[in-house]
Amino acid sequence: MRLYSSAMTRLALLCLFAVFAAQTVSLSPAVAASLLAAQEKPDKNAVALQRLLDDIGKQRAEVISIQRELTARPALAPESGGEGEEAKARWIEEWLRQKGFPLVERLDYLDAKVPSGQRPNLVLRLPGQSGRTLWLVCHLHVATPGPLDRWQGSPWTLRVEGDTVYGRGVMDNHQSIAAALLLFENLKRQQITPPMGLGLVLHAQTNGFRHVLAKRPDIFAPDDLLIVPDFGNPKGTSIALAEKGLLWLNICIKGEQKHSGSPQGGHNTLRIGARFIRDMDELAKSLSAAVPMFQAPYVTFEPTMVLPTAGSSNAVPAEFTFSVDCRFTPIYSPADIMKEFRTLADKLEREEGVSINLTETLSYYSPPPTRQDSPVVLAVLRSLAAEGVKDVSFVGINTVSSATPIREKGLAVAEWGKMDDTRRQIANESTTVSASIEEARVFARILFDQEAAKAAPANAGEEKTP
């Protein structure tokens, strides 16, 4: 009976396929023509992407113009003697308004140390065909220029030599801000709606970005793609998926002031501080576990600054305070680092007869890394492959970045850009016009990545800014 039924089933399927075949053969000429036209008709998204890529490649003059305006507006933190990022943020708002983006959301936070009384954070989103958004997160602030006599010209006046531009902030982070602005402007001018929405966050320092996430905890949907273009190499072959944790310490050594001509019986805190700095290398032996994916796979301790204290040239100082920057991998915590520093401080207190206070001024844990097979990483890899970039590697970086608070929220984020990290925060900082254009092309391809754009369309047309 089973054989009979199986045979009957096969016969029924054959008859069904025969009916379909007969129907296909008997298609009317009009239907056949429409099917043929549909096959020959180019994909609208593919055509739009090619238009976008072609236009981006013609925007070299616009990149230089944006770089010039951003560089001319120093965005130094008040701790560095600056007035903050307000002037730069206002220029960007006006530029966007002129390009057809009148609604830019501001999520500022109060700061009495700057003239404007606030530190600006800008948010902009252009809807796409799906509910998924590609977010680019860039910072507005720049590093201090350092000694001005080491610059060729003013750090705040853009210098252009062929494809290379020089000035404070041109690479860190103007290069990627220019790439993002180019992409927004081209999409608007050509009236292109990509498969994914495009979002941009421009923030004032990491604290500013944390403020944005606190005020708008839902700003990033779970299936959005997030890229922080604040790391990379000139070829674009490196993606950062993790950051080290950070601990800043002030170490204050208190002894007894004596005349430098008769130092006997005193406690020269400057000498003891030098010993503390020398002995910090021993701490690494207790925190020796390596994580190979990081550029520096071990915990690092670097003295960075001496804090001012009262004293004179003929007096043994009664107090000496210096700062230490500690960077640690995800297998350690700030408490682990503090424990080792306290052990060293206790030892020197016993041997030198002084008191040593440790004050934590800032700390961040190292959050879990982003998976290599996460949608944003795969989208970046596909886009790079389409641009001819191969042999991409994954690394962890030694600094806290804008990606850190994103990873802390459990969201996947890729840090990627076409930049030379050896040019970061040095005199005569430089980058190329081509780098901005090439970054914009990579971001454009991700916007049109059909695989990456797959998301629930419920909020596809919803604006995330007022």
Side-chain angles (χ1 to χ4, degrees):
M1 183 67 179
R2 284 182 183 173
L3 290 174
Y4 177 78
S5 299
S6 178
M8 291 295 291
T9 301
R10 287 197 295 271
L11 179 61
L13 288 173
L14 287 172
C15 292
L16 183 61
F17 284 127
V19 171
F20 283 145
Q23 289 179 343
T24 303
V25 171
S26 62
L27 289 176
S28 69
V31 173
S34 66
L35 288 174
L36 182 62
Q39 291 177 348
E40 294 178 347
K41 188 176 181 180
D43 179 76
K44 289 183 179 180
N45 284 332
V47 172
L49 173 59
Q50 192 57 55
R51 285 190 3 240
L52 189 60
L53 295 175
D54 291 344
D55 204 50
I56 288 172
K58 302 173 184 177
Q59 301 296 310
R60 302 182 67 83
E62 187 66 30
V63 171
I64 294 174
S65 175
I66 293 171
Q67 281 276 24
R68 178 172 287 111
E69 296 294 340
L70 295 179
T71 303
R73 292 163 172 81
L76 292 172
E79 294 81 4
S80 301
E83 297 184 351
E85 306 80 6
E86 185 64 26
K88 181 182 289 186
R90 287 187 179 276
W91 181 84
I92 293 173
E93 283 184 293
E94 178 59 22
W95 187 92
L96 287 168
R97 187 189 66 79
Q98 293 178 5
K99 302 300 183 181
F101 298 94
L103 300 177
V104 179
E105 184 178 9
R106 289 192 59 145
L107 294 170
D108 301 348
Y109 72 99
L110 299 179
D111 189 342
K113 298 187 297 294
V114 296
S116 65
Q118 58 190 12
R119 307 289 290 278
N121 299 299
L122 309 182
V123 179
L124 177 66
R125 180 181 180 269
L126 190 65
Q129 299 169 23
S130 74
R132 177 168 277 179
T133 300
L134 168 63
W135 286 95
L136 306 176
V137 180
C138 304
H139 62 79
L140 293 167
H141 59 278
V142 300
T144 56
L148 297 181
D149 59 359
R150 299 184 182 180
W151 286 81
Q152 296 180 28
S154 169
W156 312 118
T157 300
L158 191 74
R159 179 161 56 94
V160 183
E161 294 183 4
D163 190 45
T164 305
V165 293
Y166 298 84
R168 177 51 87 224
V170 291
M171 185 193 73
D172 185 21
N173 209 199
H174 297 171
Q175 167 185 312
S176 300
I177 294 175
L181 294 180
L182 274 189
L183 194 49
F184 271 97
E185 190 275 334
N186 275 273
L187 289 169
K188 190 75 168 182
R189 174 164 44 81
Q190 298 194 54
Q191 298 183 333
I192 295 174
T193 301
M196 268 189 289
L198 177 62
L200 177 63
V201 177
L202 300 175
H203 64 87
Q205 298 191 298
T206 304
N207 286 341
F209 187 40
R210 290 182 181 278
H211 175 79
V212 171
L213 295 177
K215 295 290 289 185
R216 289 280 306 280
D218 61 341
I219 188 171
F220 303 134
D223 62 350
D224 284 348
L225 303 187
L226 286 79
I227 296 177
V228 174
D230 196 19
F231 165 82
N233 61 29
K235 294 183 179 180
T237 57
S238 188
I239 302 175
L241 301 182
E243 301 83 37
K244 280 187 173 181
L246 169 69
L247 176 65
W248 283 354
L249 288 177
N250 283 346
I251 300 174
C252 180
I253 303 171
K254 295 183 178 182
E256 181 181 350
Q257 181 171 311
K258 296 279 287 186
H259 192 282
S260 57
S262 304
Q264 299 83 0
H267 303 283
N268 191 325
T269 57
L270 184 53
R271 285 182 177 273
I272 298 167
R275 181 184 172 187
F276 197 115
I277 292 171
R278 182 197 65 190
D279 290 352
M280 282 196 310
D281 291 340
E282 296 296 312
L283 300 180
K285 295 180 180 179
S286 301
L287 304 163
S288 60
V291 181
M293 76 174 295
F294 284 91
Q295 298 163 316
Y298 301 98
V299 177
T300 61
F301 315 101
E302 288 298 325
T304 56
M305 185 169 56
V306 174
L307 277 63
T309 54
S312 64
S313 297
N314 66 345
V316 171
E319 186 173 307
F320 177 67
T321 304
F322 64 100
S323 297
V324 178
D325 178 298
C326 311
R327 309 282 170 147
F328 51 92
T329 57
I331 60 177
Y332 296 114
S333 70
D336 297 325
I337 310 301
M338 283 291 285
K339 178 181 177 182
E340 296 302 321
F341 269 86
R342 189 64 257 172
T343 299
L344 176 57
D346 291 344
K347 175 186 176 183
L348 293 182
E349 284 181 338
R350 291 192 303 269
E351 296 177 358
E352 299 286 355
V354 295
S355 65
I356 301 177
N357 296 326
L358 307 179
T359 303
E360 176 185 307
T361 60
L362 184 67
S363 69
Y364 295 118
Y365 281 82
S366 177
T370 293
R371 292 171 55 94
Q372 296 180 13
D373 60 353
S374 64
V376 64
V377 175
L378 296 178
V380 173
L381 291 174
R382 287 191 294 267
S383 182
L384 290 174
E387 289 288 297
V389 178
K390 301 178 181 179
D391 300 322
V392 177
S393 61
F394 304 107
V395 301
I397 62 175
N398 303 329
T399 61
V400 173
S401 76
S402 303
T404 304
I406 297 175
R407 291 193 226 280
E408 289 173 352
K409 291 176 67 68
L411 298 174
V413 55
E415 289 178 85
W416 175 87
K418 281 202 166 185
M419 54 191 63
D420 183 353
D421 261 19
T422 65
R423 307 298 300 169
R424 189 186 297 270
Q425 297 190 14
I426 66 171
N428 300 301
E429 177 184 343
S430 66
T431 189
T432 63
V433 177
S434 296
S436 289
I437 290 175
E438 290 163 6
E439 282 188 5
R441 287 177 59 91
V442 170
F443 300 149
R445 287 190 181 277
I446 295 174
L447 281 177
F448 283 82
D449 187 319
Q450 295 295 333
E451 183 67 25
K454 291 178 181 178
N459 301 318
E462 179 183 335
E463 289 273 11
K464 290 190 178 180
T465 54

